Amino acid sequence: MIDAVKQLVTYEARDGRAYITFNRPEKKNALTEAMFDLLMSHLDRAEADDDVRVIVFRGAGGDFCTGHDLAEVGHEYGEAQLDATGKPRRPSQRARLHHDRHYIARFQRIFLSPKPTLALISGYCIGAGLYIAEGCDLSIASDNAKIGHPEQKLGLSGASYFGAWEIMAMGPRKARELLLLAELWSAQEALSAGLVNKVVPHADLTAAGEAWAERIVRLPRDGLAIGKAAAHLAYDSLRLTSQFTYGYVMHALATNVRYEKDEFNFMKAKRESGVRASSHGREAFYKPADGTDTTT
């Protein structure tokens, strides 16, 4: 079982590059908690290897990453507890804050990595997958990419881990559009908004990534380290790193939303009909009355 998990996020280092690959294509590279932990282990390994000058994130099977596996959502704060009458109790705020602080630290690690990072985005790049890409220094998208934060429809409505970065990168109006409407953007829409650096044909994505990686690995190691440290100082001066504090606090609050009768409750729907049906139900609920498909 342990060996099987290890194959879900793979690591390869060569020619000054470290490749961290999400390898769960049958689930469009949705990440479990075990996969997140493995991802952090690979990041440690890349940062400790002096021959590695750039870290490349990519997905196997045509998709980058569809975020946190929804089958685990709802259990992240521990197993349900019962009160004295036998009724389920909501997780405490302390449990929520403890988990979310640990969870967001993973994206912070990528954002503040001492080595340059590059995301190669193809297919779906949503939810936590997009947080990983946003945490990277550079991102190249293939022309078939679908990028966004549809998880905001779970009730978060703007409780983003990268809210400050998104506002800085895209401006407040586009950032609010990305989060509040929770639509999926095409690669060109993401490029126009400033969410990615470059768009290439899908067949050229690997070559485009290699070309940029090669330009980075030719730079001196100390120069790269100093450059990343300078970027960290700039982020601090702009208070962008504060997003990793307010992000986990807002997420903990958002997961404790009270739903009214006329609102879609993903957790309730998931308990009653399972992940797939509740995911489709969520999209159907938010679909405009004119039938416009907002997911593409």
Side-chain angles (χ1 to χ4, degrees), residues 90-101:
R90 284 188 174 189
S92 66
Q93 290 290 14
R94 60 188 179 275
R96 295 174 191 275
L97 289 167
H98 176 77
H99 174 272
D100 285 334
R101 184 176 182 180

Side-chain angles (χ1 to χ4, degrees), residues 48 67 133 147 159 235 267:
I147 301 171
Y235 295 149
M267 297 305 173

Side-chain angles (χ1 to χ4, degrees), residues 5-257:
V5 171
K6 287 182 178 180
Q7 294 305 311
L8 298 179
V9 183
T10 62
Y11 180 90
E12 178 186 5
R14 56 177 169 81
D15 302 325
R17 303 129 161 96
Y19 300 92
I20 298 177
T21 306
F22 311 124
N23 188 32
R24 199 187 180 201
E26 72 280 3
K27 295 292 185 180
K28 298 187 181 297
N29 296 323
L31 299 175
T32 64
E33 283 290 324
M35 291 171 68
F36 271 113
D37 289 341
L38 188 55
L39 168 58
M40 291 298 101
S41 177
H42 291 330
L43 192 59
D44 288 338
R45 185 176 175 183
E47 291 176 354
D49 186 345
D50 195 47
D51 288 333
V52 170
R53 304 191 198 187
V54 60
I55 302 170
V56 181
F57 294 90
R58 59 190 184 180
D63 294 293
F64 183 71
C65 175
T66 52
H68 198 148
D69 189 338
L70 291 180
E72 291 189 344
V73 173
H75 303 285
E76 64 269 39
Y77 300 122
E79 295 301 320
Q81 297 180 353
L82 303 179
D83 62 19
T85 66
K87 294 181 179 180
R89 297 180 64 192
R90 284 188 174 189
S92 66
Q93 290 290 14
R94 60 188 179 275
R96 295 174 191 275
L97 289 167
H98 176 77
H99 174 272
D100 285 334
R101 184 176 182 180
H102 173 69
Y103 187 71
I104 195 174
R106 295 157 168 164
F107 305 120
Q108 184 177 17
R109 276 285 317 281
I110 296 171
F111 189 67
L112 300 179
S113 173
K115 296 190 176 182
T117 49
L118 168 64
L120 300 182
I121 302 170
S122 62
Y124 283 104
C125 175
I126 61 179
L130 181 50
Y131 287 140
I132 291 170
E134 288 173 327
C136 289
D137 295 300
L138 303 169
S139 61
I140 303 175
S142 71
D143 55 9
N144 73 337
K146 297 179 180 180
I147 301 171
H149 280 302
E151 79 281 1
Q152 295 293 320
K153 297 173 185 174
L154 299 182
L156 305 179
S157 305
S160 170
Y161 292 140
F162 272 82
W165 183 91
E166 289 158 349
I167 290 172
M168 181 65 69
M170 297 182 287
R173 294 198 181 278
K174 291 303 290 187
R176 292 303 294 154
E177 178 184 336
L178 175 72
L179 298 175
L180 195 57
L181 300 186
E183 296 175 347
L184 294 189
W185 290 353
S186 69
Q188 286 296 334
E189 288 173 317
L191 178 65
S192 296
L195 199 54
V196 300
N197 294 94
K198 184 178 182 179
V199 174
V200 299
H202 179 63
D204 298 337
L205 181 61
T206 298
E210 287 299 304
W212 277 20
E214 179 61 25
R215 293 176 68 174
I216 294 171
V217 299
R218 290 176 180 270
L219 298 169
R221 292 172 176 82
D222 276 354
L224 292 172
I226 293 169
K228 285 304 299 272
H232 189 168
L233 289 172
Y235 295 149
D236 284 348
S237 70
L238 294 168
R239 298 190 62 81
L240 288 182
T241 46
S242 67
Q243 67 189 358
F244 299 113
T245 299
Y246 74 68
Y248 85 86
V249 175
M250 292 299 101
H251 189 273
L253 290 174
T255 58
N256 202 27
V257 167

